[in-house]
Amino acid sequence: MPSAYEKFFPKPSFYPNQEEAMDKIYGALLAGRLVLFEGACGTGKTLSALAPSLAIGREKNKKVIIATNVHQQMEQFIQEAREIKAIADIKVAVVKGKTHMCPLEKDYDECNLLRENTFELLELERDIVKLKQKDGEAAKMRGDPGYADLRRSIAGEVMAGQDKIALLKKRSCPYLMAVMKEDNTSFRDWLFKGVRSPEDITEEALKKKQCGYELLKRNLKEAELIICNYHHLLDPDIRMRMLTWMGCSLSDVILIFDEAHNLEAQARSHSSITLSENIVERALMEASSVKSPSKEGIEYFLMLLHKTIRDAYQSKIGFGEAMTYSWFDVTIRDPRGTEDMLSQKIKAEMQKRGIDIMTVLGDAIDIGLDIDEAYRNEYKNGKSETKRSSSLLAVGVFMMTYLKEAGKVDYYPVLQARRSRDGMIYGRIELFSCIPTDVTKPIMEGAYSVVLMSATLKPFDMVRSTLGILRETAELSYGTTFPPERRRTLAVDVPPQFAKNRYMPDMVKSLTQLLEDVINGSDGNVLIFFPSAAEASRYSKLLKVDVPVFVDLAGVSAQDTKNEFFKHGDGGGKAVLISYLWGTLTEGVDYKFDRCRTVVIVGVGFPSLNDRMMAVQNAYDTKFGVKKGWEYGVLFPTIRRIRQANGRVVRSPEDYGLRILADRRFTMESVKDMARYSIYMQFPEDERKEFKDIKPDKVKFSMMNFFTDIKRMDEMPKKKKGRGQG
């Protein structure tokens, strides 16, 4: 008997393990459990999660939301939703941010005010129509004693209304007005007849000079599947608005997070907050213009805050650092401590003056709210060309949160500074979130169910701890099922890339020779990941090869660089792309077939062990136990990143490629020779058993043998394949 989810499975047959995965996910969702799902690249994870989720959605009247933080994955979701749509009549909506779909290119606040004015304009136009009807009826009363007064009164109201209409039209949205005035049934039919991308929606709406975002919003209640990015779920305000448009609560939703190994970092960025020195300066200007009994205390606090920020970075930055255009950190708290210099100084100075800091902040917020409302009305009424926000309100809210949270282990306060393009140095305070469970826990607890999936999700205990998962989970893990003879992983016994030896001439020479051997021996494009962007740039200048070398550099579009690299492979040539482990090209990019035949990971590539990372480790140690800081904060994220980089080659059963791990710590021998420095055992067993220890001078021969074997295999008569997904 067919399973309930098979009606949503568009392929003629299953990949190995795919049917089993769907069975387990279906059972877990039926019971309301969360699912932790790790599956190798190209094994059909998306459909394995989507098909049972849609089946449960139909059975239990739940909506399904699938989210990613990778643009390419969004495109894949749309394509797979179209395949499902072809066999099952599901209604799909793809959601993108308002600013990306706004025909007027307004930001969120401006758009909201234009929206309010548009509603007011429509209501006023209706009132004018009613007044004119009333005037027509009054004309029949000619000769009555009050006739003239009534006609004059109506005429005055019409004139005043028309004047206001003229003003509102300058501050309203004609695209929204067109949505409100027309019957949009045809758009709804068009939307759900297929699976439309945000670009499709915008283009279709503009044909009638309408707002595509507003049209999409109005039809979300009917959608069974919503495709969006992480931001729509991690930001609590945006999540609540989207759920309102969907006509449901979080408990009515099955959430699927793709690339879920990134969820913690994304949640951390959502829960970290900043306050710039420029906003403090603008807040001081606002405070000086108001009349209030608390004005003196607010102004003193703002001047003190501004001076404290400037003194902190001016006393600690060196000349070289001061010249940079990028933000750099200035330590204001011991990463393992609780008291920061900024709070201590401000509290002490305020106490000397006998001023209660919390009272001052409360007053600043109250005044800021009034100023914010005045700015809002200025823009709404056409008296200002831009929508301003109160800086005093921003400072008050930030500092209220800062003083409450800065001493907690979950947060790390840090000062940052940089030089602007006009040559001025300025700073900002950041309240950096070490453990963002305040963002993720409500989602994990509140949703009907959640599926977290990734090619590198393990270890599952880390996922449960760092995301605040307390509910029962179903845990699934499937390695690659692609033919093992079409891939090879070489763990090359070169000296470890420690900071103390990476610049030694012998080390540089031997590594350069290894990379040149790999490039010359590869049967196509070569992708190389270094521990850092600086190392990537340095070695790109040392390599002497006869093929184009592309480098992923800061300030240059990584996507453009990647596409140029692809052109050589797709055209039957060979090129080299040099990047770094923590860059944007490590994951979410499909280097299929000739786009990449060999990937090299140089060194282990731990993230910069700076004060932030120490604060994260301290938070994990405190929350989850000693040594968890190193494991959760540094080791496991690095292993995940290396596994993601390794997964850039061999993307399908017919694909082939080489993976080269250039550092002794990857070798099996390092377990006994290097003890705690070895990372061999940190990889999943099914992956590490494929590692083949090899000396550097033997790599070129191993590569030649591998590619020769592949050529021989591909020249043999093709066997009939039964996988059927293409």
Coordinates of all heavy atoms in Angstrom, one line a residue, residues 581-582 604-607 633-643 679:
L581 N 38.7 28.8 4.1 CA 37.8 27.9 4.7 C 36.5 28.6 5.2 O 35.4 28.1 5.1 CB 38.4 27.1 5.8 CG 37.7 25.9 6.2 CD1 37.6 24.8 5.1 CD2 38.4 25.2 7.4
W582 N 36.7 29.8 5.7 CA 35.5 30.5 6.3 C 34.9 31.5 5.4 O 34.1 32.4 5.8 CB 35.9 31.2 7.7 CG 36.3 30.1 8.6 CD1 37.6 29.7 8.9 CD2 35.5 29.4 9.5 NE1 37.6 28.7 9.8 CE2 36.3 28.5 10.2 CE3 34.1 29.4 9.7 CZ2 35.8 27.6 11.2 CZ3 33.6 28.5 10.7 CH2 34.4 27.6 11.4
V604 N 44.1 22.9 9.0 CA 42.9 22.6 9.7 C 41.9 23.8 9.7 O 40.7 23.7 9.6 CB 43.1 22.1 11.1 CG1 41.8 22.0 11.9 CG2 43.9 20.8 11.1
G605 N 42.5 25.0 9.7 CA 41.7 26.2 9.5 C 40.8 26.6 10.6 O 39.6 27.0 10.4
F606 N 41.2 26.4 11.9 CA 40.4 26.9 13.0 C 40.1 28.4 12.9 O 40.9 29.1 12.3 CB 41.1 26.7 14.3 CG 41.3 25.2 14.7 CD1 42.5 24.7 15.0 CD2 40.2 24.4 14.8 CE1 42.6 23.4 15.4 CE2 40.3 23.1 15.2 CZ 41.5 22.6 15.5
P607 N 38.9 28.8 13.3 CA 38.6 30.3 13.2 C 39.6 31.0 14.1 O 40.2 30.5 15.0 CB 37.2 30.3 13.8 CG 37.0 29.1 14.6 CD 37.9 28.1 14.0
G633 N 32.5 25.5 20.4 CA 32.8 26.8 19.8 C 33.8 26.8 18.7 O 33.8 27.7 17.8
V634 N 34.7 25.8 18.7 CA 35.9 25.9 17.8 C 36.0 24.6 17.0 O 35.9 24.5 15.7 CB 37.2 26.1 18.5 CG1 38.3 26.1 17.5 CG2 37.1 27.4 19.2
L635 N 36.2 23.4 17.7 CA 36.5 22.2 17.0 C 35.4 21.7 16.0 O 35.6 21.5 14.8 CB 36.8 21.1 18.0 CG 37.1 19.7 17.5 CD1 38.4 19.8 16.6 CD2 37.3 18.7 18.6
F636 N 34.2 21.5 16.6 CA 33.1 21.0 15.7 C 32.7 21.9 14.6 O 32.5 21.4 13.4 CB 31.9 20.6 16.6 CG 32.1 19.5 17.6 CD1 31.4 19.4 18.7 CD2 33.1 18.6 17.3 CE1 31.6 18.3 19.6 CE2 33.4 17.5 18.2 CZ 32.6 17.4 19.4
P637 N 32.6 23.2 14.8 CA 32.3 24.1 13.6 C 33.4 24.0 12.6 O 33.1 24.1 11.4 CB 32.2 25.5 14.3 CG 31.8 25.2 15.7 CD 32.5 24.0 16.1
T638 N 34.6 23.8 13.0 CA 35.7 23.7 12.0 C 35.6 22.4 11.2 O 35.8 22.4 10.0 CB 37.1 23.8 12.7 OG1 37.2 25.0 13.4 CG2 38.2 23.8 11.7
I639 N 35.3 21.3 11.9 CA 35.2 20.0 11.2 C 34.0 20.1 10.2 O 34.1 19.6 9.1 CB 35.0 18.9 12.2 CG1 36.2 18.8 13.1 CG2 34.7 17.6 11.5 CD1 37.5 18.4 12.4
R640 N 32.9 20.7 10.6 CA 31.8 20.9 9.7 C 32.2 21.7 8.5 O 31.8 21.3 7.4 CB 30.7 21.7 10.4 CG 29.8 20.9 11.4 CD 28.9 21.8 12.1 NE 27.9 21.0 12.9 CZ 27.1 21.6 13.8 NH1 27.1 23.0 13.9 NH2 26.2 20.9 14.5
R641 N 33.0 22.7 8.7 CA 33.4 23.5 7.6 C 34.3 22.8 6.6 O 34.2 22.9 5.4 CB 34.2 24.8 8.1 CG 34.2 26.0 7.2 CD 32.8 26.6 7.2 NE 32.9 27.8 6.3 CZ 31.8 28.6 6.1 NH1 30.7 28.4 6.8 NH2 31.9 29.7 5.4
I642 N 35.2 22.0 7.2 CA 36.1 21.1 6.3 C 35.2 20.1 5.6 O 35.5 19.9 4.4 CB 37.1 20.4 7.2 CG1 38.1 21.5 7.8 CG2 37.9 19.4 6.4 CD1 39.0 20.9 8.9
R643 N 34.3 19.5 6.2 CA 33.4 18.5 5.6 C 32.6 19.2 4.4 O 32.4 18.6 3.4 CB 32.5 17.9 6.6 CG 33.2 17.0 7.6 CD 32.2 16.4 8.6 NE 31.3 15.5 8.0 CZ 30.0 15.3 8.5 NH1 29.6 15.9 9.6 NH2 29.2 14.5 7.8
I679 N 43.1 15.4 14.4 CA 41.6 15.6 14.3 C 41.0 14.5 13.5 O 39.8 14.5 13.2 CB 41.3 17.0 13.6 CG1 41.9 17.1 12.2 CG2 41.8 18.1 14.5 CD1 41.2 18.2 11.4

